[in-house]
Amino acid sequence: MVLSPADKTNVKTAWGKIGGHGAEYGAEALFRMFLSFPTTKTYFHHFDLSAGSAQIKSHGKKVSDALTTAVDHLDDLPTALSALSDLHAHKLRVDPVNFKLLSHCLLVTLSAHHPADFTPAVHASLDKFLATVSTVLTSKYR
Amino acid sequence: MVHFTSEEKSIISALWGKVNVEETGGETLGRLLTVYPWTQRFFDSFGNMSSPSAIMGNPKVKAHGKKVLTSFGEAIKNLDNLKGTFAKLSELHCDKLHVDPENFRLLGNVLVIVLATHFGKEFTPEVQAAWQKLVSGVAIALAHKYH
């Protein structure tokens, strides 16, 4: 799966529209994921997972910042995300199925906050982008 | 088997009451066919699906989307017996339509996203969680009779 020039434009434009809300959206996506897909909480048993948790906020910012990095390096995601890829492969070892769950919740969050911009074409491009990021993050698993 | 608390049932019914089934159905199916183009394999007879606007404007897509979502409405009336409610449809999707159940999961998640675009803030994490249970229950029920 390859991001077309149109996909890249859609992703950059969409991500640009979130303004300074990246961290907030990251946290919201995580919270949505923990509620809708309780098995994902197994990776965060050391966290306070209640609504408004400082740990979820801080982790949401990490996720959002990493996605911003990805958006800024769409032409070379493997290099840009190499360190994160190592981290997930050797330390975090999050089962690959969970990346789809977080990706879905990120899309729900974005679509809830920016419905007018979340056209079918943009939806498709963002879905492809998150799937590509997920593939890169699990690429060194074995 | 998926079990719904009375609170989840209320949440689901409350939102459903505000859903325009025809529009939401068409949009959901259209987005499925746009975001996951391989799902078009089941709809060769639908005509022009060459671009997002062609898909979203296609009258056959809209009509079929309405049909699919109307069926969801039946699920909501029978949350305690999804498997029974969808038994015949399950057989149909296996024996006649030959649809991989993975497609039910994809469609369910697209529906959740469409509801998020329509309801915004009202589509809280709690509301989403109840609907994720519903779409998952429907997908499981539709796959139940596969052999």
Side-chain angles (χ1 to χ4, degrees):
Chain A
M1 172 178 44
V2 166
L3 294 174
S4 70
D7 287 325
K8 291 179 187 179
T9 303
N10 284 342
V11 169
K12 283 187 197 290
T13 306
W15 201 252
K17 295 210 165 129
I18 70 180
H21 295 278
E24 179 200 324
Y25 293 174
E28 183 180 327
L30 285 169
F31 189 70
R32 284 181 181 276
M33 183 184 72
F34 294 140
L35 226 60
S36 282
F37 309 108
T39 52
T40 57
K41 296 190 292 186
T42 55
Y43 294 96
F44 296 93
H45 52 86
H46 53 297
F47 266 32
D48 164 16
L49 295 178
S50 57
S53 141
Q55 284 175 308
I56 295 187
K57 283 190 179 148
S58 133
H59 201 70
K61 181 174 186 327
K62 269 190 199 169
V63 169
S64 170
D65 288 346
L67 287 172
T68 299
T69 299
V71 172
D72 290 339
H73 295 89
L74 291 176
D75 293 327
D76 193 8
L77 287 172
T79 307
L81 299 177
S82 182
L84 265 180
S85 183
D86 289 332
L87 182 74
H88 282 79
H90 306 305
K91 187 145 179 280
L92 304 178
R93 292 171 292 184
V94 173
D95 190 285
V97 74
N98 295 286
F99 292 89
K100 282 193 184 181
L101 303 179
L102 180 58
S103 295
H104 172 67
C105 290
L106 281 161
L107 291 178
V108 170
T109 303
L110 288 173
S111 61
H113 286 280
H114 300 274
D117 299 317
F118 202 79
T119 63
V122 168
H123 176 174
S125 297
L126 284 170
D127 191 291
K128 275 174 86 173
F129 164 65
L130 292 173
T132 307
V133 168
S134 302
T135 299
V136 170
L137 290 179
T138 56
S139 61
K140 300 181 194 175
Y141 270 36
R142 55 178 168 172
Chain B
M1 197 186 97
V2 69
H3 169 78
F4 297 91
T5 63
S6 40
E7 199 187 330
E8 284 164 344
K9 289 181 186 178
S10 298
I11 286 173
I12 289 167
S13 303
L15 201 79
W16 186 248
K18 303 182 205 181
V19 168
N20 179 323
V21 172
E22 180 165 2
E23 259 180 45
T24 302
E27 190 172 342
T28 300
L29 184 63
R31 280 179 184 260
L32 179 80
L33 299 169
T34 301
V35 178
Y36 309 108
W38 56 92
T39 58
Q40 293 171 24
R41 70 190 297 285
F42 302 107
F43 303 106
D44 280 339
S45 64
F46 275 18
N48 186 7
M49 291 196 285
S50 56
S51 69
S53 52
I55 294 171
M56 301 309 287
N58 184 312
K60 287 188 175 176
V61 170
K62 289 184 188 186
H64 196 69
K66 179 184 175 185
K67 196 174 177 178
V68 168
L69 205 64
T70 301
S71 183
F72 241 93
E74 281 312 296
I76 293 172
K77 293 187 205 154
N78 293 281
L79 290 173
D80 291 326
N81 184 22
L82 291 177
K83 287 191 173 142
T85 304
F86 285 107
K88 286 261 169 296
L89 270 177
S90 180
E91 284 169 8
L92 178 79
H93 280 77
C94 174
D95 300 329
K96 293 270 164 1
L97 305 177
H98 312 295
V99 176
D100 178 350
E102 178 59 23
N103 292 285
F104 309 143
R105 285 177 266 286
L106 288 178
L107 183 73
N109 279 334
V110 173
L111 173 59
V112 166
I113 286 174
V114 170
L115 292 174
T117 60
H118 287 192
F119 292 101
K121 280 199 168 66
E122 201 182 328
F123 198 69
T124 63
E126 290 74 15
V127 171
Q128 179 189 351
W131 276 83
Q132 294 289 170
K133 261 179 113 168
L134 172 63
V135 301
S136 165
V138 169
I140 290 169
L142 274 174
H144 186 64
K145 293 286 193 183
Y146 273 58
H147 59 97

